[in-house]
């Protein structure tokens, strides 16, 4: 997206890794890999063509191996992403299908590879889940490096960049991103990619500002253009004028000061000025992220999204793999709690790229618990693995997408079968593992009093709750202005769940993005939410804000909030009462062109 006032140009993308950097653009291209010729191969030459393809794969794989071996210490925790890519080189869907296409259609390897990748992309085209989109990106990255070898294009060597620059690319693979040397690369922006892409995860680990999904940055930006990347707001400014430059220099240094200050205090408890202690936990997608939760002062894991382990391979993981993964997380986090959410994805998406999903509305389809109840063996395998991990530290089970009471009973029945089977086999597990549900479907809010009787805790998933309650697709930019966490309807729903939790003795946590945004904290505190789970980087700021707030005041404040009729009204009230706390001295308000005009 693009907006432009004076000479400067503002591009809007996805804020993937916070922070601000200012510098010269360095465009990295992958010339030669997108346009390939098609030609036919004679029968006699087919085997040679296949060998040419195999040799291109081997060279790409060897190069990746070298990158893996030279990965710097700070990124070793993500090495498995590169290992996954190594496996993808020989994946049936890519490797096998390309050879099959060369043979069947008697075409050159480049064309066959291109066709295979286009098919994969087509299969995933209608998917809205950013997570799955990221997995398609893995296939594309792997295929590009093979293509580079086939067409003899110069591979992209990020480690050879000698200047202090900001990378501008259509896309960067995790292997490329992992070669970034912090003293040379200030930040990165790409046309493709999203928050949960591997590139995004690596940028966050490196703590370099990154904005992805800009769509056409590589067309609008030229080499050596001065650009500002604001990874906190997801804005890129091209040709900034002097006023903007000065403003962003200030924002940059105040952000850096702010970060230093909050990180220093991140291990202090999240205790309000009137002595109420809140728990602040982290959301993770990969086991390696536990380290960030601990470093940023998180009390535990409030949401472990377990989909990744199913998606980064092309068949179902077995119980042993799952168990090892969960055990690692539990052991590192102990004595802190680990809340493991069961698989929240539909089978077609998760398992086989080959099977075509014909769901018109996947978000309303066979998703989360619905899929697991339809595939009890897959569910049971995961539950056994979680239960086994519970022998190594505090674990809770969280069920996603609950929309009716029967689903809880059915899931618990399968959980009991899993527990019985472990018991019979003499395998250790904690037989008092708590079971909770995501409150992310409006029907679960309405039925929370009934559901409370059968669960130990609620976790409010505002990402989906907002989507389903306001009928706003959470990833559709056209309706992004309607996606309002502070819409009065949402505030009332949270209040309803919090009240039921209080009266029914059921703990209530919030693990949607709303919990990690400083602006929402006075409201959540006033509503009585005292357990918040968020992306690890947000933990220090949220803890610091909690330490500046008072529950008594927040409870009085919420009475006025509940009288408001609109999100705008609530936001105005919030800022007039709490602006100095939520945008603390030194913490820049997120940049918004509207504030600036
Ligand atoms: C949510 O819906 O708020 C949530 C935390 O789950 P996810 O973002 O994984 O759908
Ligand atoms: Mg959800």
């Amino acid at each position: 997206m693009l907006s432009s006032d004076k000479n400067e140009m503002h591009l809007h993308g996805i804020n993937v890794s916070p922070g601000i950097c200012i510098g010269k653009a360095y465009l990295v291209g992958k010339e030669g890999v997108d346009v390939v010729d098609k030609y036919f191969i004679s029968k006699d030459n087919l085997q040679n063509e296949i060998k040419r393809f195999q040799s291109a794969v081997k060279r790409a794989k060897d190069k990746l191996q070298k990158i893996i071996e030279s990965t710097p210490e700070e990124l070793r925790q993500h090495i498995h992403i590169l290992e996954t890519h190594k496996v993808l080189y020989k994946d049936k869907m890519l490797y096998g299908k390309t050879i099959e296409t060369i043979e069947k259609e008697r075409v050159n390897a480049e064309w066959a590879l291109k066709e295979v990748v286009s098919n994969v992309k087509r299969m995933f085209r209608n998917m809205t889940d950013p997570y799955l989109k990221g997995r398609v990106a893995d296939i594309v990255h792997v295929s590009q490096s093979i293509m580079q070898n086939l067409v003899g294009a110069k591979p992209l060597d990020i480690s050879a960049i000698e200047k202090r620059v900001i990378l501008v690319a259509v896309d960067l693979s995790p292997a490329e991103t992992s070669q970034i040397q912090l003293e040379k690369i200030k930040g990165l922006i790409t046309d493709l990619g999203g928050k949960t892409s591997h590139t995004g995860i690596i940028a966050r680990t490196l703590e370099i500002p990154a904005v992805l999904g800009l769509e056409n940055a590589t067309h609008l930006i030229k080499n050596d253009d001065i650009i500002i990347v604001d990874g906190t707001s997801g804005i890129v400014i091209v040709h900034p004028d002097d006023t903007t430059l000065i403003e962003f220099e200030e924002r940059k240094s105040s952000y850096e000061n702010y970060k230093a200050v909050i990180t220093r205090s991140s291990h202090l408890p999240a205790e309000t000025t009137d002595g109420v202690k809140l728990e602040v936990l982290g959301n993770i997608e990969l086991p390696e992220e536990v380290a960030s939760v601990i470093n940023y002062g998180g009390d535990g894991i409030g949401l472990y999204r377990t989909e990744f382990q199913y998606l980064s391979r092309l068949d179902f993981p077995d119980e042993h793999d799952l168990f090892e993964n969960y055990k690692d997380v539990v052991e590192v986090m102990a004595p802190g709690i680990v809340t493991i959410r069961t698989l929240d994805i539909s089978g077609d998406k998760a398992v086989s790229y080959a099977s075509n999903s014909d769901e018109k509305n996947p978000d309303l389809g066979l998703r989360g618990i619905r899929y697991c109840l339809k595939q009890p063996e897959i569910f049971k395998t995961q539950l056994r693995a979680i239960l086994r991990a519970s022998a190594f530290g505090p674990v809770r089970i969280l069920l996603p997408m609950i929309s009716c009471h029967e689903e809880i009973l059915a899931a618990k029945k399968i959980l009991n079968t899993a527990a019985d089977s472990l018991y019979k086999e003499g395998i250790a597990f904690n037989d008092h593992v708590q079971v909770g549900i995501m409150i992310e479907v409006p029907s679960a809010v309405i039925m929370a009093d009934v559901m409370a009787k059968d669960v130990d805790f609620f976790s409010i998933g505002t990402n989906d709750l907002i989507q389903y309650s306001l009928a706003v697709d959470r990833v559709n930019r056209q309706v992004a202005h309607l996606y309002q966490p502070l819409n009065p309807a949402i505030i009332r729903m949270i209040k309803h769940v919090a009240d039921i939790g209080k009266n029914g003795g059921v703990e209530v946590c919030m693990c949607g993005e709303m919990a990690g945004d400083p602006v929402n904290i006075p409201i959540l505190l006033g509503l009585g939410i005292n357990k918040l789970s968020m992306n690890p980087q947000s933990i220090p700021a949220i803890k610091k804000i909690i330490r500046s707030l008072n529950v008594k005041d927040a409870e009085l404040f919420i009475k006025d909030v509940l009288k408001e009729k609109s999100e705008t009204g609530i936001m105005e009230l919030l800022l007039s009462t709490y602006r100095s706390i939520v945008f603390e001295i030194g913490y820049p308000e997120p940049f918004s062109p509207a504030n600036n005009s």
Side-chain angles (χ1 to χ4, degrees):
M1 280 216 295
L2 164 74
S3 66
S4 144
D5 289 339
K6 317 152 249 186
N7 242 344
E8 68 182 35
M9 209 170 17
H10 293 194
L11 313 181
H12 302 254
I14 302 164
N15 51 341
V16 159
S17 179
I20 291 170
C21 63
I22 303 171
K24 282 190 177 169
Y26 185 98
L27 269 92
V28 287
K30 293 176 188 175
E31 291 81 10
V33 298
D34 286 333
V35 186
V36 296
D37 288 334
K38 176 179 185 177
Y39 52 90
F40 289 96
I41 307 289
S42 68
K43 213 172 175 182
D44 296 345
N45 277 327
L46 273 182
Q47 284 316 310
N48 284 343
E49 191 61 11
I50 290 170
K51 277 201 193 112
R52 194 168 74 84
F53 172 68
Q54 287 168 329
S55 142
V57 172
K58 183 172 182 314
R59 277 179 287 140
K61 217 174 144 194
D62 290 349
K63 172 143 191 268
L64 184 60
Q65 181 56 35
K66 284 209 184 96
I67 292 175
I68 291 175
E69 282 159 18
S70 60
T71 297
E73 201 45 47
E74 67 269 26
L75 285 180
R76 292 216 75 81
Q77 50 169 314
H78 292 314
I79 215 107
H80 70 97
I81 294 176
L82 305 185
E83 296 285 359
T84 306
H85 278 204
K86 235 173 77 187
V87 175
L88 279 180
Y89 278 112
K90 282 289 170 80
D91 178 69
K92 230 173 43 202
M93 198 181 57
L94 189 71
Y95 184 82
K97 273 256 183 266
T98 304
I99 293 180
E100 198 182 300
T101 309
I102 297 173
E103 275 174 331
K104 270 199 188 144
E105 298 184 19
R106 294 218 211 145
V107 286
N108 55 320
E110 291 88 339
W111 191 262
L113 178 61
K114 192 182 154 125
E115 214 173 84
V116 166
V117 175
S118 302
N119 281 340
V120 172
K121 282 190 192 159
R122 208 173 14 255
M123 275 190 281
F124 280 77
R125 194 168 40 213
N126 296 329
M127 252 160 221
T128 48
D129 188 331
Y131 214 82
L132 290 165
K133 288 204 156 140
R135 304 300 73 80
V136 183
D138 290 337
I139 303 232
V140 172
H141 292 145
V142 163
S143 71
Q144 275 177 341
S145 58
I146 302 172
M147 192 67 94
Q148 266 160 358
N149 290 335
L150 283 172
V151 299
K154 224 171 115 241
L156 177 59
D157 187 1
I158 289 192
S159 61
I161 297 172
E162 282 304 336
K163 318 178 222 172
R164 289 269 297 152
V165 288
I166 298 170
L167 295 184
V168 182
V170 173
D171 194 12
L172 284 174
S173 71
E176 286 155 354
T177 314
S178 70
Q179 293 172 65
I180 285 178
Q181 290 170 359
L182 288 176
E183 63 287 3
K184 305 224 185 93
I185 310 294
K186 296 180 175 187
L188 68 92
I189 63 175
T190 62
D191 292 345
L192 305 177
K195 219 163 202 148
T196 54
S197 66
H198 288 142
T199 306
I201 292 169
I202 292 178
R204 282 199 291 279
T205 308
L206 290 169
E207 300 195 7
I208 57 171
V211 177
L212 308 189
L214 284 155
E215 292 172 10
N216 52 3
T218 51
H219 289 117
L220 298 166
I221 299 174
K222 290 190 288 307
N223 260 331
D224 292 334
D225 276 352
I226 298 289
I227 57 174
I228 297 172
V229 177
D230 180 346
T232 312
S233 329
I235 289 175
V236 173
I237 302 175
V238 192
H239 308 307
D241 67 17
D242 288 349
T243 325
T244 310
L245 265 179
I246 293 168
E247 182 190 338
F248 271 86
E249 288 289 4
E250 280 166 11
R251 280 177 170 275
K252 181 172 177 295
S253 70
S254 54
Y255 177 80
E256 278 157 14
N257 285 341
Y258 172 77
K259 204 172 148 198
V261 170
I262 56 164
T263 309
R264 266 203 300 279
S265 63
S266 65
H267 289 273
L268 297 175
E271 184 172 343
T272 61
T273 54
D274 48 352
V276 177
K277 263 200 193 136
L278 272 77
E279 262 181 81
V280 179
L281 308 117
N283 293 351
I284 63 163
E285 278 148 24
L286 302 165
E288 293 78 11
E289 288 174 295
V290 185
S292 315
V293 175
I294 295 170
N295 290 342
Y296 284 119
D299 298 309
I301 310 289
L303 170 64
Y304 179 9
R305 292 181 168 103
T306 56
E307 292 78 59
F308 188 88
Q309 221 191 338
Y310 289 78
L311 294 165
S312 58
R313 49 196 295 154
L314 297 165
D315 54 0
F316 284 104
D318 62 21
E319 181 184 315
H320 177 76
D321 285 353
L322 293 170
F323 163 65
E324 288 292 330
N325 176 307
Y326 304 154
K327 176 169 161 273
D328 278 356
V329 173
V330 170
E331 282 182 336
V332 178
M333 196 63 242
I337 191 102
V338 177
T339 312
I340 305 181
R341 187 175 72 183
T342 58
L343 191 56
D344 181 15
I345 206 151
S346 75
D348 276 350
K349 297 177 203 165
V351 187
S352 165
Y353 293 160
S355 64
N356 222 336
S357 167
D358 55 4
E359 290 193 317
K360 283 245 161 56
N361 289 308
D363 281 345
L364 304 180
L366 194 61
R367 200 194 140 172
I369 197 69
R370 302 170 180 180
Y371 173 75
C372 286
L373 293 178
K374 223 172 167 186
Q375 301 281 351
E377 280 312 310
I378 290 162
F379 192 33
K380 193 174 150 199
T381 302
Q382 183 178 32
L383 291 171
R384 275 179 56 104
I386 299 175
L387 286 174
R388 285 174 61 188
S390 72
F392 296 84
V395 166
R396 309 195 299 178
I397 295 174
L398 178 57
L399 307 170
M401 278 293 290
I402 294 289
S403 60
C404 60
H405 182 238
E406 292 95 313
E407 286 168 340
I408 302 174
L409 303 182
K412 286 178 94 171
K413 207 166 156 194
I414 299 176
L415 178 64
N416 284 340
T417 324
D420 282 351
S421 63
L422 289 174
Y423 185 73
K424 282 195 193 112
E425 291 163 38
I427 299 175
F429 67 97
N430 171 5
D431 56 5
H432 285 94
V433 166
Q434 291 198 338
V435 179
I437 55 169
M438 291 287 292
I439 301 283
E440 54 185 345
V441 179
S443 57
V445 174
I446 305 287
M447 295 299 287
D449 56 333
V450 174
M451 296 188 181
K453 301 202 170 67
D454 283 295
V455 298
D456 301 302
F457 66 98
F458 290 149
S459 194
I460 306 179
T462 50
N463 305 344
D464 278 317
L465 187 60
I466 297 167
Q467 150 161 287
Y468 294 131
S469 307
L470 304 181
V472 179
D473 179 348
R474 62 194 257 191
V475 293
N476 182 342
R477 287 185 184 192
Q478 308 292 326
V479 287
H481 61 290
L482 295 172
Y483 190 88
Q484 302 169 339
L486 293 179
N487 184 295
I490 302 297
I491 307 286
R492 284 165 196 227
M493 285 190 178
I494 298 170
K495 180 175 185 318
H496 182 72
V497 176
D499 290 348
I500 284 171
K502 237 176 279 163
N503 299 334
V506 169
E507 188 193 286
V508 180
C509 176
M510 177 178 285
C511 65
E513 291 292 311
M514 191 173 173
D517 187 343
V519 85
N520 302 324
I521 303 304
I523 290 188
L524 299 180
L525 197 63
L527 291 173
I529 304 285
N530 50 19
K531 210 165 187 161
L532 302 165
S533 192
M534 62 204 64
N535 71 75
Q537 288 87 345
S538 300
I539 293 173
I542 298 297
K543 286 180 85 174
K544 187 151 201 288
I545 286 165
I546 292 169
R547 286 197 294 272
S548 325
L549 294 170
N550 172 308
V551 175
K552 291 270 156 344
D553 290 348
E555 282 171 354
L556 287 177
F557 170 67
I558 212 71
K559 294 201 162 89
D560 291 333
V561 169
L562 290 166
K563 289 182 200 142
E564 289 295 331
K565 299 188 185 82
S566 68
E567 191 240 14
T568 319
I570 293 178
M571 189 55 110
E572 275 166 12
L573 189 63
L574 190 57
L575 293 181
S576 66
T577 318
Y578 285 107
R579 181 186 282 270
S580 63
I581 291 181
V582 293
F583 298 123
E584 265 181 274
I585 305 130
Y587 179 70
E589 275 186 51
F591 176 77
S592 131
N595 296 341
N596 234 37
S597 52

